[in-house]
């Protein structure tokens, strides 16, 4: 199976990412934009009486449609390409799983490391929450959390594979997973926290916005895993079957 060119998987990963981005855009537009509008209304109400002579260079309607769609689609294509390359590396190295199962496992692992782990430390905030002067620092910490999560996950996989001969695959996997959780917990403790939510900002709106943000990411990754798994299966399984047929054809008969 690994004889398939990574380029073929990359193209299918980007296509699956495009479709996943479209699904995520629908979720963001249908249930997410209302939360953004509510947060913007609170921000404008708090700034009432200040100078509003300058208009936004891009209208809110354009931001919520073309701007949002373009951003989410590009994000999906980029993540799809990266996930496809991770899949190409993992195929056949994490066990004797089918391409579809490998895609599901790879996508799930990426969702946990790239989305869930950073989200629980630095969750998304709606507009009007956060000091603009600390935006660079907050972004850097978020990216650092993603990098740490990916490195810790890779370390947990390596640990599990080295423990497998002595403990067995199941116990080694549990040990690797436990080490990952413990290391992430330490990272949560030592990395600085960020709490810039105004005291008068509605807690319900923040909670809803964060749930929607998580739903968008879950939709993106779930759609990608399903679509890419199907595309990878169609690419790899016929290729493997044809190679087996060729081997049988050239084998001498008794």
């Amino acid at each position: 199976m690994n004889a398939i060119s990574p380029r073929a998987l990359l193209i299918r990963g980007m296509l699956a990412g495009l479709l996943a981005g479209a699904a995520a855009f629908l979720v963001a537009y249908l249930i997410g934009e209302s939360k953004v509008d509510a947060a913007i209304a609170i921000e404008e109400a708090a700034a009432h009486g200040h100078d509003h002579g300058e208009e936004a260079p891009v209208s809110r309607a354009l931001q919520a449609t073309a701007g949002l769609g373009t951003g989410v689609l590009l994000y999906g294509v980029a993540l799809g390409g990266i996930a496809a390359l991770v899949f190409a590396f993992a195929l056949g190295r994490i066990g004797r799983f089918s391409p579809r199962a490998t895609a599901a496992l790879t996508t799930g692992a990426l969702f946990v490391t790239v989305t869930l782990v950073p989200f629980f430390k630095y969750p998304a905030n709606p507009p009007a929450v956060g000091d603009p002067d600390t935006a660079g620092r907050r972004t850097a910490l978020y990216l650092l959390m993603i990098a740490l999560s990916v490195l810790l996950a890779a370390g947990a996989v390596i640990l599990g594979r080295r423990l497998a001969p002595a403990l067995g695959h199941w116990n080694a996997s549990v040990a690797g997973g436990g080490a990952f959780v413990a290391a992430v917990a330490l990272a949560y403790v030592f990395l600085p926290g960020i709490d810039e939510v105004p005291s008068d900002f509605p807690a319900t709106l923040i909670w809803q916005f964060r749930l929607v943000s998580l739903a968008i990411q879950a939709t993106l990754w779930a759609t990608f895993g399903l679509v890419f798994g199907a595309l990878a299966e169609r690419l790899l399984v016929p290729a493997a079957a044809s190679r087996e047929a060729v081997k049988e054809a050239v084998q001498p008969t008794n």
Side-chain angles (χ1 to χ4, degrees):
M1 290 186 183
N2 287 326
I4 295 294
S5 169
R7 180 175 178 274
L9 291 172
L10 177 63
I11 293 174
R12 285 159 177 78
M14 294 175 70
L15 175 59
L18 181 65
L19 297 176
F25 167 71
L26 289 177
V27 174
Y29 182 77
L30 293 176
I31 66 175
E33 283 304 305
S34 60
K35 308 300 183 294
V36 176
D37 289 337
I40 291 175
I42 293 174
E43 183 180 27
E44 292 176 347
H48 182 70
H50 295 277
D51 182 20
H52 293 284
E54 296 184 1
E55 295 184 357
V58 180
S59 67
R60 174 70 189 123
L62 189 59
Q63 291 176 359
T65 52
L68 176 64
T70 301
V72 175
L73 290 177
L74 290 176
Y75 179 71
V77 170
L79 283 186
I82 295 172
L85 295 178
V86 174
F87 168 87
F89 176 80
L91 186 63
R93 292 184 173 90
I94 61 174
R96 298 179 62 84
F97 298 106
S98 68
R100 196 184 294 262
T102 303
L105 291 172
T106 303
T107 302
L110 288 172
F111 175 64
V112 170
T113 55
V114 177
T115 299
L116 281 187
V117 170
F119 178 86
F120 288 128
K121 177 61 178 178
Y122 301 115
N125 285 324
V129 174
D131 185 355
D133 295 334
T134 64
R137 176 174 176 269
R138 286 184 277 121
T139 302
L141 287 173
Y142 183 78
L143 294 177
L144 175 61
M145 190 69 248
I146 293 177
L148 280 175
S149 177
V150 171
L151 290 175
L152 291 174
V157 171
I158 294 173
L159 176 64
R161 294 186 65 176
R162 292 192 174 182
L163 292 177
L167 301 180
H169 291 290
W170 174 257
N171 291 331
S173 298
V174 172
F180 174 73
V181 172
V184 168
L186 288 175
Y188 280 6
V189 170
F190 287 104
L191 284 177
I194 297 175
D195 185 8
E196 298 179 348
V197 179
S199 59
D200 57 344
F201 197 91
T204 301
L205 181 57
I206 293 178
W207 175 246
Q208 292 174 343
F209 181 86
R210 290 174 176 174
L211 284 180
V212 169
S213 299
L214 194 57
I216 293 170
Q217 291 286 344
T219 300
L220 178 73
W221 284 109
T223 304
F224 172 80
L226 293 173
V227 175
F228 180 71
L231 294 176
E233 188 99 355
R234 290 184 62 183
L235 174 69
L236 295 168
V237 171
S242 63
R243 286 197 299 272
E244 291 297 327
V246 170
K247 289 180 180 179
E248 293 179 1
V250 299
Q251 285 178 352
T253 57
N254 293 329

